[in-house]
Amino acid sequence: MDVTPLDELQWKSPEWIQVFGLRTENVLDYFAESPFFDKTSNNQVIKMQRQFSQLNDPNANVNMSQNIMNLQDGKNGNLEDEFAYVDPARRQILFKYPMYMQLEEELMKLDGTEYVLSSVREPDFWIVKKQRRINDAGAGNSRGPKIIPLQDYYIIGANVYQSPTVFKIVQSRLMSTSYHLNSTLERLYDLIEFQPSQGVHYKVPIDTSSTTTASTNGNNTGGGSNKNSVRPTGGANLATVPSTTNANMTVNTVGTGGQTVDNGAGRPGNGNMGITTEMLDKLMVTSIRSTPNYI
């Protein structure tokens, strides 16, 4: 049977939350119900000891709260010295929530795997850290126990996740990079074209908008073939455009055949506007009205 890796698993228990609710005081109890929790950890050992021992002292929480108030007022520095090995963020959690300070004091007596609450961002985000504690009895209390981090877990809302390892993160990034590079190369292969005269080259992308404009201008220019028509006065050297046309455009008669061509005066860049569609239409009307002499 295939087992889903823990770093790909998402777990939640709406039934448990409906009965007990989810808050910082009981988030470790909620985490203990998930498949990420190790039943052989020190947390489970302490939980079993609390169930079968007479540790239900009603004054325990009162005394712990009094110690925290004294620490905040600067009257008692014993607790701060006792938890000097704990990082400042988790130390604030211990001082704010007495049950976690009591749990830490009991974990300090054991060696092995344990779970602690390392970060709190109420009301919907917590980080649980799995670590291995090694108490060095010969080093004294000044150095404190040796803590080896093993894993981090995120509780977001009602969902519990295991943080991925660095290997998994790098592997995922490399696979994503490889996929996008492969897709890019496939698209580049589609742009390669071979012609015997030019060899291998890339196709030039065609802009559909410019192609449509060029096609329209080409059709209009084709209608300008009427300007190369035979004028009725075959011997004339100069034919002027009727007054209905643009005065800036002139047509010269070339040769004895009387064919007329544009002398370039109306081309763009010569100071005059180019031949427009309106000009060509007027030339065509003029050509139709005339009576050419066919040779």
Side-chain angles (χ1 to χ4, degrees):
M1 183 178 63
D2 296 337
V3 179
T4 304
L6 291 179
D7 57 355
E8 300 179 5
L9 182 65
Q10 171 187 332
W11 179 88
K12 63 180 179 179
S13 179
E15 297 82 6
W16 194 96
I17 296 178
Q18 186 176 4
V19 175
F20 302 101
L22 185 59
R23 54 191 181 276
T24 304
E25 289 80 0
N26 63 355
V27 67
L28 274 184
D29 296 332
Y30 178 70
F31 177 80
E33 302 295 328
S34 69
F36 305 105
F37 185 76
D38 186 1
K39 299 298 182 181
T40 63
S41 62
N42 293 340
N43 297 69
Q44 184 68 14
V45 174
I46 294 174
K47 182 178 179 181
M48 299 299 293
Q49 291 177 352
R50 288 177 177 178
Q51 289 180 354
F52 298 100
S53 62
Q54 301 298 326
L55 297 179
N56 297 324
D57 185 4
N59 297 323
N61 292 334
V62 176
N63 295 334
M64 185 63 64
S65 300
Q66 184 65 33
N67 292 334
I68 296 173
M69 293 177 62
N70 293 334
L71 176 63
Q72 293 176 351
D73 295 338
K75 300 178 181 179
N76 190 352
N78 294 332
L79 291 177
E80 187 173 11
D81 296 337
E82 183 180 3
F83 301 110
Y85 68 93
V86 181
D87 59 277
R90 195 161 73 87
R91 195 183 309 163
Q92 294 298 325
I93 298 176
L94 298 180
F95 295 158
K96 185 176 181 180
Y97 302 96
M99 71 287 298
Y100 290 116
M101 180 176 289
Q102 184 178 1
L103 175 63
E104 185 70 19
E105 290 180 343
E106 295 180 7
L107 289 174
M108 291 172 61
K109 304 175 184 178
L110 303 174
D111 291 347
T113 304
E114 62 187 23
Y115 296 90
V116 296
L117 186 63
S118 63
S119 180
V120 175
R121 193 186 70 184
E122 292 183 332
D124 57 357
F125 181 76
W126 299 269
I127 297 179
V128 177
K129 180 177 292 185
K130 180 181 180 181
Q131 59 188 20
R132 184 180 300 277
R133 182 187 296 266
I134 301 176
N135 292 314
D136 192 356
N141 295 331
S142 59
R143 293 181 54 184
K146 182 179 180 181
I147 305 297
I148 302 176
L150 299 178
Q151 191 62 256
D152 289 337
Y153 303 91
Y154 302 101
I155 303 176
I156 304 175
N159 302 317
V160 183
Y161 307 89
Q162 176 178 309
S163 64
T165 61
V166 176
F167 173 78
K168 289 286 187 179
I169 295 175
V170 175
Q171 184 184 36
S172 176
R173 297 296 187 271
L174 289 176
M175 291 181 63
S176 178
T177 303
S178 177
Y179 169 77
H180 290 295
L181 285 176
N182 188 33
S183 302
T184 303
L185 290 176
E186 289 180 356
R187 297 186 64 180
L188 288 177
Y189 290 152
D190 294 337
L191 296 176
I192 294 177
E193 185 179 24
F194 173 78
Q195 292 182 358
S197 59
Q198 299 180 2
V200 179
H201 62 280
Y202 289 99
K203 299 177 183 178
V204 179
I206 300 176
D207 189 357
T208 56
S209 59
S210 61
T211 304
T212 305
T213 304
S215 176
T216 305
N217 293 335
N219 294 334
N220 293 335
T221 304
S225 60
N226 293 321
K227 68 179 180 179
N228 293 331
S229 60
V230 180
R231 303 295 294 173
T233 56
N237 293 327
L238 177 63
T240 59
V241 181
S243 58
T244 56
T245 61
N246 193 333
N248 293 327
M249 185 184 69
T250 58
V251 180
N252 294 336
T253 303
V254 180
T256 58
Q259 295 180 349
T260 60
V261 296
D262 187 359
N263 64 355
R267 296 177 185 174
N270 292 336
N272 298 325
M273 296 180 60
I275 299 176
T276 62
T277 305
E278 182 181 1
M279 297 177 185
L280 293 175
D281 293 340
K282 292 179 179 180
L283 286 173
M284 185 172 61
V285 172
T286 303
S287 177
I288 293 174
R289 290 181 179 178
S290 63
T291 306
N293 296 326
Y294 297 97
I295 301 176

